[in-house]
Amino acid sequence: MVGPGAAPLENANPLIYRRSGERPVTAREEDDELPDAIDDREIFDLIRSINDPEHPLTLEELNVVEQVRVKVNDAESTVSVEFTPTIPHCSMATLIGLSIKVKLLRSLPDRFKLDVHITPGTHASEHAVNKQLADKERVAAALENSHLLEVVNQCLTARS
Amino acid sequence: MPEALSLLCRVSAHPESRCWALAWSPSGTLLASCGGDRTVRIWGRDGPGWSCRAVLADGHQRTVRRVAWSPCGHYLASASFDGTTCVWKRQENDFEVVATLEGHENEVKSVAWAPSGSLLATCSRDKSVWVWEVDDEEQEFECVSVLSAHTQDVKHVVWHPSQELLASASYDDTVRLYREDDDDWVCCATLEGHTSTVWAVAWERSGQRLVSCSDDRTLRVWERSESGSGTEHSWKCVCTLSGYHGRSIYDVAWCHLTGAVATACGDDAVRVFEEVAAVAPGDAVTFSLAAHVPRAHAQDANGVAWHPREPGLLASCGDDGDIAFWHYQRPEGL
């Protein structure tokens, strides 16, 4: 896995998408008496500002993550996220998926089961990447690797 | 059905971490656990509960993935993501590292002792299975074979209950068996059928069958076939249990006292299956669900282990860092 700065760029001129606006807060959410279920938009807000490992852009700006590809079921404690690599041979796909997974692991209560997949049909090694991301033993081992953890943390650090 | 499995006791074994695996000592007086906090912990009975007798913290630099007791009960081996396997010698409640086995290129995922106690097997993400010879007097371990049959990360190794026959489970979706052949170790069977990672395997007491559990959410029971020619083993899948598990199945244990099969699943549940007696010879092998605790753990269940002497005593562990002790009562009418 390569970190940022390892030239040449794989996808030199990516399409850039417009960011979504701030999420409107509903009257129900402002009522502290009512329980708030976690919804798709909240999960999307957690991951949309993750940095791309290659470009000074967010995953939302590159259309790697979209709100319609986030599915939450709060009652069943499941979260599923599909992400779309910018090109079908993107070697950063595993790193991007890992960053999404780590962000959600750190942000959500432990009860949630997280599934992070590549959008079907958008990557040449879709099955292999999905299998790695679903293997919690390999994810645990990867996160004990200080170099890899540093790269993931860079993707997760909000730019000023 | 839930009353078939009743909770006896729950202990927070690896707080702030996950508990990956459990192993009972051969006499059943001690239980070893290991986890993401890099430690191995030793548990003993304390009245109605269980208490920690020792914390083995100075052996590994990273996660300890699995532990295994030698058949004599004097040694404990621990497999770690730091690439090494430590062998600990027990004196009462004191454990001391007597050997550190090095050689794997990266994470060691599992370790197992042969029934004679004279061989040890380890496996790793480096796709290999190593067989080590144990010199008990010198407390030395020599690698006698490196087996590279798997094409991916090897998750689990376990020896046949009475013979020097080794089984391994892998990310390449297969189970493989190995035996010694003219001073060398060879892969003598490949069990194909699972459609994703095989996380663990367990032998039936007789050693004629084994059960495997997988990320494909099924259990498969494999039987040694009579039709095998010469010394080669022929194994076939005689039963597939699908539709019971909601997520990946991380561990399976086949009780050598009662024949019950327990599983630890990523949907937080612990389940127990019983074989349904055949009505006529030649009938298909079938198992039925005998117990199901949906929230056995607050997060993924990772390990299950039947007590070696007390029928129905089961321990489980999970990502919540807990060990749970259960009493299993076979439901009537099964």
Side-chain angles (χ1 to χ4, degrees):
Chain A
M1 217 170 268
V2 225
L9 296 179
E10 280 189 12
N11 183 8
N13 291 301
L15 276 174
I16 300 173
Y17 295 77
R18 191 177 161 179
R19 284 187 294 183
S20 42
E22 291 301 311
R23 170 172 169 270
V25 177
T26 64
R28 185 192 150 89
E29 284 171 329
E30 287 188 1
D31 187 342
D32 291 338
E33 300 297 307
L34 295 170
D36 264 350
I38 293 174
D39 62 19
D40 297 354
R41 177 61 204 250
E42 275 176 274
I43 299 296
F44 181 63
D45 273 350
L46 288 170
I47 61 174
R48 70 187 177 113
S49 53
I50 296 173
N51 302 312
D52 181 75
E54 198 173 63
H55 295 283
L57 295 164
T58 65
L59 296 187
E60 180 187 25
E61 287 166 325
L62 292 169
N63 214 38
V64 172
V65 295
E66 299 163 88
Q67 191 178 332
V68 292
R69 301 198 181 280
V70 175
K71 295 277 175 287
V72 181
N73 186 329
D74 187 275
E76 290 180 11
S77 302
T78 58
V79 171
S80 153
V81 173
E82 279 177 3
F83 67 102
T84 312
T86 53
I87 46 171
H89 290 277
C90 179
S91 65
M92 306 282 179
T94 311
L95 176 59
I96 292 169
L98 189 61
S99 300
I100 296 171
K101 194 142 192 173
V102 171
K103 177 70 187 185
L104 295 176
L105 280 171
R106 287 179 184 168
S107 312
L108 292 173
D110 292 337
R111 65 183 166 94
F112 277 96
K113 306 289 181 188
L114 310 175
D115 290 304
V116 176
H117 298 288
I118 288 180
T119 305
T122 64
H123 196 272
S125 311
E126 179 183 326
H127 175 71
V129 174
N130 286 344
K131 191 169 179 179
Q132 279 220 46
L133 291 172
D135 186 322
K136 70 169 183 177
E137 186 188 65
R138 287 166 75 125
V139 170
L143 297 180
E144 287 184 8
N145 174 331
S146 54
H147 170 69
L148 186 57
L149 190 59
E150 197 181 313
V151 176
V152 168
N153 282 334
Q154 275 169 19
C155 292
L156 297 185
T157 306
R159 288 204 179 89
S160 51
Chain B
M1 204 175 0
E3 65 274 15
L5 205 53
S6 50
L7 183 69
L8 299 170
C9 170
R10 188 184 292 274
V11 292
S12 176
H14 296 260
E16 310 292 307
S17 178
R18 50 162 53 114
C19 182
W20 270 118
L22 301 171
W24 291 101
S25 64
S27 65
T29 53
L30 296 177
L31 178 72
S33 68
C34 60
D37 59 2
R38 308 167 189 186
T39 69
V40 175
R41 288 169 199 252
I42 309 294
W43 305 86
R45 213 174 223 146
D46 204 358
W50 294 77
S51 64
C52 186
R53 298 286 163 80
V55 180
L56 286 54
D58 49 358
H60 292 294
Q61 268 68 59
R62 291 181 58 186
T63 285
V64 185
R65 178 64 182 88
R66 283 217 183 240
V67 278
W69 294 88
S70 65
C72 64
H74 297 315
Y75 297 96
L76 180 73
S78 55
S80 167
F81 284 3
D82 68 13
T84 70
T85 305
C86 282
V87 179
W88 308 75
K89 187 176 187 179
R90 177 189 168 205
Q91 250 145 5
E92 291 305 311
N93 286 330
D94 258 358
F95 289 80
E96 181 196 358
V97 176
V98 292
T100 302
L101 312 186
E102 295 175 345
H104 281 295
E105 282 171 33
N106 39 44
E107 295 95 288
V108 184
K109 298 294 180 69
S110 179
V111 58
W113 298 81
S116 64
S118 61
L119 294 168
L120 190 72
T122 57
C123 65
S124 162
R125 189 165 72 93
D126 69 12
K127 308 174 187 176
S128 69
V129 173
W130 290 36
V131 179
W132 307 77
E133 214 163 62
V134 183
D135 181 339
D136 200 28
E137 272 175 25
E138 303 291 327
Q139 291 174 2
E140 281 178 358
F141 296 78
E142 188 197 353
C143 176
V144 292
S145 189
V146 174
L147 297 157
S148 308
H150 282 296
T151 60
Q152 290 288 344
D153 186 359
V154 190
K155 300 297 197 183
H156 192 216
V157 279
V158 58
W159 290 91
H160 184 284
S162 57
Q163 298 167 15
E164 291 193 338
L165 179 64
L166 178 69
S168 65
S170 166
Y171 190 89
D172 72 9
D173 308 352
T174 70
V175 173
R176 289 175 198 262
L177 303 178
Y178 314 85
R179 61 174 170 78
E180 197 173 16
D181 179 38
D182 272 350
D183 263 4
D184 200 9
W185 284 79
V186 293
C187 175
C188 56
T190 301
L191 282 47
E192 291 177 310
H194 280 297
T195 56
S196 190
T197 301
V198 189
W199 281 106
V201 281
W203 293 89
E204 190 182 23
R205 180 177 52 187
S206 70
Q208 287 300 308
R209 296 193 293 181
L210 53 84
V211 61
S212 54
C213 65
S214 165
D215 180 58
D216 70 12
R217 307 178 183 194
T218 71
L219 289 179
R220 282 172 183 262
V221 180
W222 310 84
E223 191 172 79
R224 201 166 174 159
S225 151
E226 302 299 327
S227 63
S229 62
T231 55
E232 287 308 301
H233 301 296
S234 174
W235 291 77
K236 65 174 181 191
C237 178
V238 293
C239 179
T240 301
L241 282 84
S242 50
Y244 292 105
H245 296 88
R247 294 180 71 85
S248 202
I249 313 166
Y250 291 115
D251 200 16
V252 60
W254 201 330
C255 183
H256 288 186
L257 303 173
T258 67
V261 173
T263 61
C265 183
D267 64 8
D268 310 345
V270 169
R271 295 173 176 83
V272 179
F273 298 85
E274 291 272 2
E275 185 164 7
V276 180
V279 179
D283 275 2
V285 176
T286 50
F287 283 75
S288 68
L289 184 65
H292 175 205
V293 182
R295 297 215 178 280
H297 288 272
Q299 298 176 53
D300 295 5
N302 290 326
V304 273
W306 291 105
H307 192 278
R309 299 275 174 87
E310 246 182 87
L313 178 55
L314 178 73
S316 67
C317 65
D319 277 355
D320 56 5
D322 286 1
I323 301 175
F325 295 86
W326 308 89
H327 176 69
Y328 168 66
Q329 177 71 51
R330 191 175 203 258
E332 292 199 18
L334 261 181

